[in-house]
Amino acid sequence: MHHREEGWVKILTIPSPSLQNNTADADRLIGALKNRLATPRLEVAIDLELLQRLPFILRQEDSELCCTLFKDLGHWVLVDLQPLHSAKPPAGLAVDLGTSRVVLRMVDLTSNALLGESAFDNPQIDIGPDILTRIHYADRPGGLHHLQQLICEALNRQVIALCDACSRLPEEVLLIAVAGNTAMTHLLLGLNPHWMIREPYIPVTNRPGLIPAASLDIQVNPQARIFVFPNIGSYFGGDLIAGILYSGLHRADEPALLVDVGTNAEVVLGNSQWLIACAGAAGPALESGVTRMGTLAAPGVIDRVRFDRTTKRFDIHTIADRPPHGICGSGLIDLAAQLFLGGLIDFRGRFQARACGNRLIDIDGTEHLVVVSPTDSATGKALTISQADLDSLIRSKAAMYTILETITGTVGIQLEDIATFYVAGTFGTFIQAASAIGIGMLPDLPLTAFKALGNSSLGGATMLLGSDCRMDEIDRIRERITYLELNVNQDFMNRFSAAKFLPHTDRSRFPSVSVL
Amino acid sequence: MHHREEGWVKILTIPSPSLQNNTADADRLIGALKNRLATPRLEVAIDLELLQRLPFILRQEDSELCCTLFKDLGHWVLVDLQPLHSAKPPAGLAVDLGTSRVVLRMVDLTSNALLGESAFDNPQIDIGPDILTRIHYADRPGGLHHLQQLICEALNRQVIALCDACSRLPEEVLLIAVAGNTAMTHLLLGLNPHWMIREPYIPVTNRPGLIPAASLDIQVNPQARIFVFPNIGSYFGGDLIAGILYSGLHRADEPALLVDVGTNAEVVLGNSQWLIACAGAAGPALESGVTRMGTLAAPGVIDRVRFDRTTKRFDIHTIADRPPHGICGSGLIDLAAQLFLGGLIDFRGRFQARACGNRLIDIDGTEHLVVVSPTDSATGKALTISQADLDSLIRSKAAMYTILETITGTVGIQLEDIATFYVAGTFGTFIQAASAIGIGMLPDLPLTAFKALGNSSLGGATMLLGSDCRMDEIDRIRERITYLELNVNQDFMNRFSAAKFLPHTDRSRFPSVSVL
């Protein structure tokens, strides 16, 4: 293994005992660890099972030891100790615990090397695809336990498979970092989320901390720990905290903004001095809000659309270049922007019959615009967008813009003051910032200000595996965040109404948007 | 239950959540606990099983909660939480884990009331009556596990019986404080004591700390913790630390001394400023040393002897006033003192034929002095003491005196400077200080300076159950103790030789001793 020392793994030599230095094995080890960690005042605890093996390990020929230890609530806990020459390099798992999809990433804890990745559908989908159904199910007799069992058993199966693929053994896994929304982490830990969805919306805990993997029957190393990213509340989960960590927003000099459009739209604004956050499940105005745009990104789904103003044709791009059978959020935003910029819809999002020509068809008494003809589509049917779809998209984009306007307004800065605009998740990966600006969903910043983060929840969890100072950093992030309850008051509704036009009632906010 | 709050149990009210105070259940609880403990910087951890029950407990009608929490390595851990109106009052167990005998004491953790006591023979006696045999046995395949199982299973049986006798339930037991010598606590914890008896005499740990009872399969409350008193080394165990705590030696203004004559002779000298300790298993001079005096105290065993100088008869007292069948350590010391003071032995401990008269008989070619005639004894045989018995006793008392002289000499004080002389254990309960002074075993201090402590190990363990500041106090005792390795060098041997007379070569040291 590498002799590099990083993160949680320390390599050190324990002095042999002598009549002059005849303190206990554990004391010599702890003394050496405290020296190495340069934290003389922090205590180091040793798991009993490890203590039982300690004298044998210390008396092997090689005096260099590979120690793995984690920080927890103001002390260190040693979870693994091996003679260096025969050490199995400790591994860690980052887990993005999504409502729909769970992604695992295996990392070598010593070298920080990425070993492998896998993903699987959250088996709780069988109980209910959405969080709410699962929370109700948890209240049924045995329901909570069943939900917990589903995810834990799936994790066990997937960990074995991933270890296999990476030529590692489950007992080499010493740390699992889990980032998920508050409901998903509650279900993982067997904590009843009943009160999360009822006023005043209370989770059982905001800081699950470091938990023995054995207490959840996760079959990795018996001493392994699970770090569950803390949450701010019921609607602001550990996935977001992981996202902030990953983006580096909390260390930015200039105000930066992070948007994660998942089950909710969550927004964090801040810099190295302050952090303010809000989540979009704030009221009726946002219901059926920013989340219901199109289908999930998958092969054959339209993710980019261009309207050729000369040929008057749609130039579409599908994921994996397969025949189109649907359109995802980013494709829909592209489409709407192109329709608006090409004059096919007006500033209210209404189809312009003359410009649309024979693309406009009637289906069951509703106007639809044909995007892909039956001959070009994978289904043999035309892919269309209806006026209702557009109206829904416009409400969504207005809600998003209003949230952004509200959160910046709260701290007294302008949207144009945002230096960096991080967009997390699949949405961030596929979205064309220019199009989102074109419909007035995102503010009119220079395109270089927008950064797609990808799976920032998984990225943050992976960062935790890399360094022993991340836990403190996470606590500091959590302590610094001010959570803004979105009051859907008259001010909010006024802003929302003004944002329900393309790009906005106040055109001066979008100088870069020029309509044909 | 009592509404008094002491020690580990805190009663408090958790604010109900509201839209204005909608932090997580655990956060509101931890916040209230931190306020109550007045330790804002100390973290409070909650066991996962308790966290799972937390929201239900917080939402019961009674808002007053009975919380039990323990301090561990710089943080608190909450192990029990109940609505006050229906709370089962938490109980604690103090355990004196002796090599031969184990004593349990049950205490109410809220009121500190003593609930009951029981004792049983350490079942490891079946493996070997002495520590050494058990340590060797631990090296055999499965041996260590077997020894651990023996004591843990016996504890489980006894705890159930004691709970029954006290009308308590095992699940009400939340804290077990165990004080024992280093070998016994190692065997309890499944730590191999192999290296304790081999140079340089290394225990696995000196500070086992707070261990989940479940990890030793001790069937009390699933969240209960076991606090194992720390040791200084292989020959200075947690029983002694408990003894120091119980005696208050570490808070004395004037130098005080604590002697525990158990399997070893252990001595602690100190005051509120400093502590120095040594143990008697220090070398060949002490082998077959202070420990082999007579039989164990039991009914029918002679514990006090007076020689009537007028009638020339022994006036004996037996434990429970039963016919005599043996003599215990304190009886032997009384006897030797009376023989010496009565002129039946000289200052070398030799029988004086003229003074002894027909009490001297020959058994198998050795001189014996008849203490109890066959008609008066329980066995129908004479109870006698031989020259060899006396020689052995004199070596023992010389060793004890030499250790006392050495340890006081090391810190530059005189034996007569000792303000209080604590004598622990059965030995301390039965010994007549005047007799021990008479033979020069203990220094010639005023009799009021001697204090019998009784079972100080159990006493210290009981004190731990009473207060949450004892753990810190124990750590401070442990940190302050300087352990003195007894070097059996020429100085030591000279002192030892001078002490092998009655009361001492230097008679001026024992002004109170006047011989007939």
Side-chain angles (χ1 to χ4, degrees):
Chain A
M1 68 176 289
H2 301 277
H3 281 234
R4 272 174 69 198
E5 247 188 77
E6 271 191 35
W8 309 99
V9 183
K10 313 287 169 193
I11 293 160
L12 74 169
T13 303
I14 313 298
S16 291
S18 65
L19 281 173
Q20 284 67 49
N21 177 15
N22 64 353
T23 187
D25 288 342
D27 287 8
R28 297 197 315 286
L29 173 64
I30 288 172
L33 285 170
K34 281 185 169 187
N35 271 342
R36 168 57 51 93
L37 299 166
T39 52
R41 299 188 56 186
L42 273 196
E43 294 295 338
V44 179
I46 305 177
D47 276 359
L48 183 59
E49 290 85 350
L50 202 55
L51 200 58
Q52 289 167 343
R53 290 189 283 119
L54 177 62
F56 302 95
I57 299 169
L58 288 188
R59 283 165 183 82
Q60 299 215 5
E61 255 180 51
D62 189 347
S63 70
E64 271 197 307
L65 293 176
C66 177
C67 310
T68 309
L69 64 175
F70 303 132
K71 213 183 275 179
D72 189 25
L73 285 180
H75 72 280
W76 288 90
V77 56
L78 181 73
V79 298
D80 193 47
L81 187 69
Q82 305 177 68
L84 187 59
H85 69 90
S86 61
K88 293 173 183 167
L93 280 173
V95 180
D96 168 33
L97 184 64
T99 307
S100 316
R101 195 92 178 137
V102 180
V103 190
L104 295 184
R105 183 182 278 171
M106 189 173 233
V107 167
D108 183 305
L109 280 187
T110 313
S111 66
N112 270 341
L114 174 68
L115 301 176
E117 218 174 285
S118 74
F120 61 98
D121 285 339
N122 189 328
Q124 295 169 348
I125 292 172
D126 292 348
I127 305 300
D130 59 306
I131 292 179
L132 216 58
T133 315
R134 297 184 206 172
I135 293 180
H136 287 303
Y137 183 84
D139 271 338
R140 287 160 58 167
L144 175 60
H145 181 70
H146 182 213
L147 286 163
Q148 185 187 25
Q149 214 173 14
L150 280 173
I151 184 64
C152 289
E153 285 175 358
L155 277 171
N156 274 329
R157 282 192 302 273
Q158 294 288 330
V159 167
I160 290 172
L162 182 56
C163 283
D164 237 38
C166 302
S167 306
R168 292 290 180 117
L169 298 169
E171 51 265 41
E172 294 167 20
V173 175
L174 291 175
L175 182 58
I176 303 178
V178 179
N181 64 52
T182 308
M184 289 307 110
T185 55
H186 271 54
L187 295 179
L188 175 71
L189 298 173
L191 304 175
N192 196 317
H194 177 95
W195 299 272
M196 282 179 52
I197 54 165
R198 291 167 171 90
E199 207 180 290
Y201 314 110
I202 304 295
V204 177
T205 185
N206 277 331
R207 194 189 183 285
L210 208 56
I211 287 159
S215 71
L216 299 185
D217 273 332
I218 301 294
Q219 286 142 31
V220 287
N221 186 289
Q223 262 63 63
R225 296 297 199 275
I226 300 180
F227 177 80
V228 180
F229 273 74
N231 33 271
I232 302 290
S234 295
Y235 297 112
F236 196 95
D239 48 352
L240 264 285
I241 304 274
I244 295 171
L245 179 72
Y246 185 62
S247 70
L249 183 76
H250 59 300
R251 286 179 284 162
D253 293 328
E254 301 292 317
L257 198 142
L258 167 65
V259 167
D260 192 343
V261 181
T263 309
N264 289 320
E266 287 133 341
V267 178
V268 187
L269 171 68
N271 59 20
S272 59
Q273 303 300 312
W274 49 270
L275 291 168
I276 184 165
C278 65
L286 300 183
E287 270 169 33
S288 78
V290 289
T291 61
R292 292 211 194 159
M293 295 181 299
T295 59
L296 290 171
V301 166
I302 300 171
D303 62 341
R304 287 206 300 276
V305 178
R306 212 172 61 84
F307 181 69
D308 191 313
R309 297 185 188 188
T310 318
T311 63
K312 310 277 180 197
R313 291 176 63 114
F314 288 109
D315 185 8
I316 66 163
H317 178 265
T318 61
I319 296 174
D321 285 320
R322 301 268 282 278
H325 61 81
I327 186 159
C328 71
S330 63
L332 203 56
I333 290 166
D334 255 18
L335 176 61
Q338 293 292 311
L339 292 177
F340 175 57
L341 300 175
L344 279 70
I345 56 177
D346 68 4
F347 71 103
R348 299 167 305 164
R350 300 277 146 196
F351 290 125
Q352 300 300 299
R354 208 168 48 169
C356 295
N358 61 1
R359 292 185 171 277
L360 273 191
I361 60 172
D362 182 286
I363 301 177
D364 300 332
T366 323
E367 269 191 333
H368 282 246
L369 181 99
V370 176
V371 181
V372 178
S373 68
T375 50
D376 292 336
S377 90
T379 57
K381 290 187 192 165
L383 294 181
T384 65
I385 183 171
S386 71
Q387 189 62 56
D389 292 336
L390 278 173
D391 292 348
S392 165
L393 174 67
I394 287 171
R395 275 196 307 277
S396 295
K397 80 94 188 171
M400 169 64 92
Y401 187 82
T402 307
I403 293 172
L404 297 177
E405 204 185 345
T406 302
I407 195 168
T408 46
T410 301
V411 293
I413 69 169
Q414 304 295 315
L415 278 168
E416 47 263 42
D417 295 336
I418 294 167
T420 315
F421 198 117
Y422 295 104
V423 192
T426 321
F427 182 77
T429 307
F430 291 102
I431 198 175
Q432 302 291 317
S435 297
I437 295 169
I439 61 167
M441 182 181 203
L442 298 184
D444 197 358
L445 301 173
L447 292 183
T448 51
F450 293 93
K451 310 273 187 219
L453 286 179
N455 190 337
S456 57
S457 168
L458 187 66
T462 308
M463 281 177 83
L464 180 106
L465 299 178
S467 162
D468 55 19
C469 55
R470 296 299 184 202
M471 260 182 207
D472 293 338
E473 196 173 348
I474 289 164
D475 274 333
R476 283 197 303 272
I477 290 172
R478 200 175 82 85
E479 285 155 15
R480 274 174 49 204
I481 289 183
T482 306
Y483 185 73
L484 176 69
E485 292 289 343
L486 282 181
N487 281 316
V488 182
N489 52 20
Q490 196 53 53
D491 259 15
F492 188 93
M493 289 313 294
N494 291 346
R495 288 198 193 104
F496 180 62
S497 299
K500 282 204 298 196
F501 293 87
L502 300 177
H504 195 274
T505 317
D506 177 5
R507 283 297 305 263
S508 72
R509 297 184 183 199
F510 290 86
S512 79
V513 179
S514 68
V515 184
L516 191 68
Chain B
M1 68 175 287
H2 301 276
H3 281 235
R4 274 174 66 197
E5 247 189 76
E6 271 191 35
W8 309 101
V9 183
K10 314 286 169 197
I11 293 161
L12 74 170
T13 303
I14 313 297
S16 291
S18 64
L19 281 172
Q20 284 67 47
N21 177 16
N22 65 352
T23 187
D25 288 340
D27 288 8
R28 294 196 318 284
L29 173 64
I30 288 172
L33 284 170
K34 282 184 170 188
N35 272 343
R36 168 57 51 93
L37 298 167
T39 53
R41 300 189 55 187
L42 274 197
E43 293 295 339
V44 179
I46 304 177
D47 276 359
L48 182 59
E49 289 86 351
L50 203 55
L51 200 58
Q52 289 167 343
R53 289 190 284 121
L54 177 62
F56 302 95
I57 299 169
L58 288 189
R59 283 166 183 80
Q60 301 215 2
E61 255 179 49
D62 188 348
S63 70
E64 271 196 306
L65 293 175
C66 176
C67 310
T68 308
L69 63 173
F70 304 132
K71 214 185 272 179
D72 190 26
L73 286 179
H75 73 278
W76 288 91
V77 56
L78 181 74
V79 299
D80 193 47
L81 188 70
Q82 305 176 66
L84 187 59
H85 68 90
S86 61
K88 293 173 184 169
L93 279 173
V95 181
D96 168 32
L97 184 63
T99 308
S100 315
R101 195 92 179 135
V102 181
V103 191
L104 296 183
R105 184 181 278 169
M106 191 171 229
V107 168
D108 184 304
L109 280 186
T110 313
S111 66
N112 269 340
L114 174 68
L115 301 175
E117 217 175 286
S118 73
F120 61 97
D121 286 338
N122 189 327
Q124 295 170 347
I125 291 173
D126 292 348
I127 305 300
D130 59 306
I131 293 179
L132 216 59
T133 315
R134 296 183 207 173
I135 293 181
H136 286 303
Y137 183 84
D139 271 339
R140 288 160 57 168
L144 175 61
H145 180 69
H146 183 213
L147 285 163
Q148 185 187 24
Q149 216 172 13
L150 280 173
I151 184 64
C152 289
E153 285 175 359
L155 277 171
N156 275 329
R157 280 191 303 272
Q158 295 288 330
V159 167
I160 289 172
L162 183 56
C163 284
D164 238 36
C166 303
S167 305
R168 293 292 181 115
L169 298 170
E171 52 265 41
E172 294 168 21
V173 175
L174 291 175
L175 181 59
I176 303 179
V178 179
N181 64 52
T182 309
M184 289 308 109
T185 54
H186 270 53
L187 295 179
L188 174 72
L189 298 173
L191 304 175
N192 197 317
H194 177 95
W195 299 272
M196 281 179 51
I197 54 163
R198 291 167 172 90
E199 206 181 293
Y201 313 111
I202 304 296
V204 176
T205 184
N206 277 332
R207 194 188 183 287
L210 209 56
I211 288 159
S215 70
L216 300 184
D217 274 331
I218 300 293
Q219 285 143 29
V220 287
N221 186 288
Q223 263 63 63
R225 296 298 200 273
I226 300 180
F227 176 80
V228 180
F229 272 75
N231 33 270
I232 303 290
S234 295
Y235 297 113
F236 196 97
D239 47 353
L240 263 286
I241 304 274
I244 296 171
L245 179 71
Y246 185 60
S247 70
L249 183 77
H250 59 299
R251 284 179 288 162
D253 293 328
E254 300 291 316
L257 199 141
L258 167 64
V259 168
D260 192 343
V261 181
T263 309
N264 289 320
E266 288 133 339
V267 178
V268 187
L269 172 67
N271 59 21
S272 60
Q273 303 299 312
W274 49 269
L275 291 167
I276 182 163
C278 65
L286 300 184
E287 270 169 30
S288 76
V290 289
T291 61
R292 290 213 195 156
M293 296 180 299
T295 58
L296 291 171
V301 166
I302 300 171
D303 63 341
R304 288 205 301 274
V305 179
R306 210 174 61 84
F307 182 67
D308 190 313
R309 297 184 189 186
T310 318
T311 64
K312 308 281 180 196
R313 291 176 61 113
F314 288 108
D315 184 9
I316 65 163
H317 178 265
T318 61
I319 295 174
D321 286 319
R322 302 268 280 278
H325 61 79
I327 187 160
C328 72
S330 63
L332 203 55
I333 290 165
D334 256 19
L335 176 60
Q338 293 293 309
L339 292 177
F340 176 57
L341 300 176
L344 278 69
I345 56 175
D346 67 3
F347 71 102
R348 298 167 308 166
R350 300 277 146 197
F351 289 126
Q352 300 300 297
R354 209 169 45 169
C356 294
N358 61 1
R359 293 185 171 277
L360 274 191
I361 59 171
D362 181 287
I363 299 176
D364 300 334
T366 323
E367 271 190 331
H368 281 247
L369 181 100
V370 176
V371 181
V372 178
S373 67
T375 51
D376 291 338
S377 90
T379 58
K381 290 186 192 167
L383 294 182
T384 65
I385 182 169
S386 71
Q387 189 61 58
D389 291 337
L390 279 172
D391 292 350
S392 165
L393 174 66
I394 288 172
R395 277 197 305 277
S396 294
K397 79 95 188 172
M400 170 63 92
Y401 187 82
T402 307
I403 293 172
L404 297 177
E405 204 186 343
T406 303
I407 195 168
T408 46
T410 301
V411 292
I413 68 168
Q414 304 295 314
L415 278 168
E416 48 263 41
D417 295 336
I418 295 167
T420 314
F421 198 117
Y422 296 104
V423 191
T426 322
F427 182 77
T429 307
F430 290 101
I431 198 174
Q432 302 291 316
S435 297
I437 295 169
I439 61 167
M441 185 181 198
L442 298 183
D444 197 357
L445 302 172
L447 292 183
T448 52
F450 294 93
K451 310 270 187 224
L453 286 179
N455 190 338
S456 56
S457 169
L458 187 65
T462 309
M463 283 177 80
L464 180 106
L465 299 179
S467 163
D468 56 19
C469 54
R470 296 297 183 200
M471 260 180 206
D472 293 338
E473 196 173 348
I474 289 164
D475 275 333
R476 282 196 305 270
I477 290 173
R478 202 174 81 83
E479 285 156 15
R480 274 174 49 203
I481 289 183
T482 307
Y483 185 72
L484 175 68
E485 291 289 341
L486 281 181
N487 280 317
V488 182
N489 52 20
Q490 195 54 50
D491 259 14
F492 188 92
M493 289 313 292
N494 290 346
R495 287 198 195 105
F496 181 60
S497 299
K500 280 205 301 199
F501 293 88
L502 300 177
H504 196 273
T505 318
D506 178 5
R507 284 296 306 263
S508 72
R509 298 185 182 199
F510 290 87
S512 81
V513 179
S514 67
V515 184
L516 190 68

